[in-house]
Amino acid sequence: MLSLARVSTRAVAVARPLAARARGMVMFEQVDGLPVGKFTNLMEANVEEWKKSDAIFNKVATPDLMAERALNMFKLLQGVNIGNMVDQATHGLQVATRAHRDGADEETVVCALFHDLGEVMSPINHGEIAAGLLRPYVSPENYWILAHHEVFQAYYFQDAAQLSIRDSRERFRSNPHFEACVHFCEKWDQASFDPNYNTEPLSFFEPMVKRIFARKPYWHPDHAQDPINAAKMEMAEGYPSEGRVEVDVPAAKKAKVS
């Protein structure tokens, strides 16, 4: 297995700094042999200089490199234990394995893998971290599940934790994604703290992660219904687009919820 240091070294573009330094900051003239855009604020950028910048941005933010960076974040959870019999990486692998074996689609399996990516970064709203990372590449339903899953998880630990306010998930009962989130938590998430479960290794899921990050951002027809998504779709031409693939929406099926 590659070390994090080796993966990070490969993933980051080699830059050639100018000798001149201003206030301790390195100024770049090239990145991987490509000239950088010469502007110090966005208002002074012109078409020619922006094209230089865009070429480099596309090179350092390929779908494969984006997937590697997400996977490296996941690897940082190895050995991180929040007080149960498995570490956070094992928990994520176990949730993804259960989802896969239950017949969940590839997108949902990747969501299961990354669902707790932010649990020790910002525990109380950690679902929003994975949800935000994957939002352009997954269905609105899977985004909603990720963003809300910790609220639904509380249903299963509220007695043990002696929560003074119970059944918080009920405030979302009318949402069309409610039952899918219940299924995600009950069948896969809350059940995945078993050190004896036969969990698939991370290498099993890595190709799936790469395929999800290779999707054209905001591909789902319902993405545009949310104003923030719609606004970001309008500005997509200013961001990396090389290597992205169109998604066959009928083939991007939902996870089983029966």
Side-chain angles (χ1 to χ4, degrees), residues 103-215:
D105 61 274
E106 186 169 274
E107 173 190 309
T108 302
V109 172
V110 171
C111 289
L113 180 70
F114 286 150
H115 76 287
D116 278 351
L117 201 62
E119 181 139 26
V120 292
M121 298 179 194
S122 185
I124 191 65
N125 69 328
H126 67 269
E128 296 173 53
I129 294 175
L133 176 67
L134 293 173
R135 187 175 195 175
Y137 313 106
V138 303
S139 67
E141 176 173 277
N142 274 330
Y143 167 78
W144 197 93
I145 291 171
L146 286 170
H148 293 78
H149 83 268
E150 63 262 44
V151 177
F152 283 63
Q153 278 287 84
Y155 178 83
Y156 305 100
F157 66 72
Q158 59 189 358
D159 290 337
Q162 298 181 295
L163 298 186
S164 57
I165 299 177
R166 300 168 53 83
D167 299 340
S168 295
R169 73 181 190 177
E170 289 302 315
R171 67 179 63 226
F172 302 106
R173 172 69 67 173
S174 62
N175 190 280
H177 308 312
F178 182 92
E179 291 300 334
C181 196
V182 169
H183 180 84
F184 181 95
C185 292
E186 181 176 335
K187 299 298 184 182
W188 306 330
D189 196 0
Q190 68 85 27
S192 293
F193 300 91
D194 183 354
N196 297 314
Y197 185 78
N198 183 21
T199 300
E200 296 287 355
L202 182 59
S203 59
F204 179 82
F205 301 104
E206 287 176 351
M208 303 182 196
V209 173
K210 290 183 178 182
R211 286 190 288 270
I212 294 302
F213 276 98
R215 290 176 167 183

Side-chain angles (χ1 to χ4, degrees), residues 38-110:
K38 297 295 179 66
F39 48 84
T40 60
N41 63 72
L42 294 180
M43 289 188 293
E44 70 181 26
N46 57 36
V47 172
E48 180 181 359
E49 298 303 317
W50 188 263
K51 286 182 178 179
K52 297 176 184 177
S53 177
D54 188 57
I56 295 171
F57 202 173
N58 269 283
K59 193 168 185 177
V60 301
T62 66
D64 278 356
L65 289 178
M66 290 162 53
E68 278 193 20
R69 292 176 183 122
L71 288 163
N72 285 343
M73 290 176 66
F74 182 85
K75 291 173 186 177
L76 292 174
L77 298 177
Q78 294 171 351
V80 176
N81 187 291
I82 61 171
N84 54 73
M85 293 191 290
V86 299
D87 65 18
Q88 286 297 96
T90 301
H91 172 66
L93 290 169
Q94 193 170 138
V95 177
T97 300
R98 291 181 187 276
H100 173 73
R101 290 175 182 167
D102 277 354
D105 61 274
E106 186 169 274
E107 173 190 309
T108 302
V109 172
V110 171

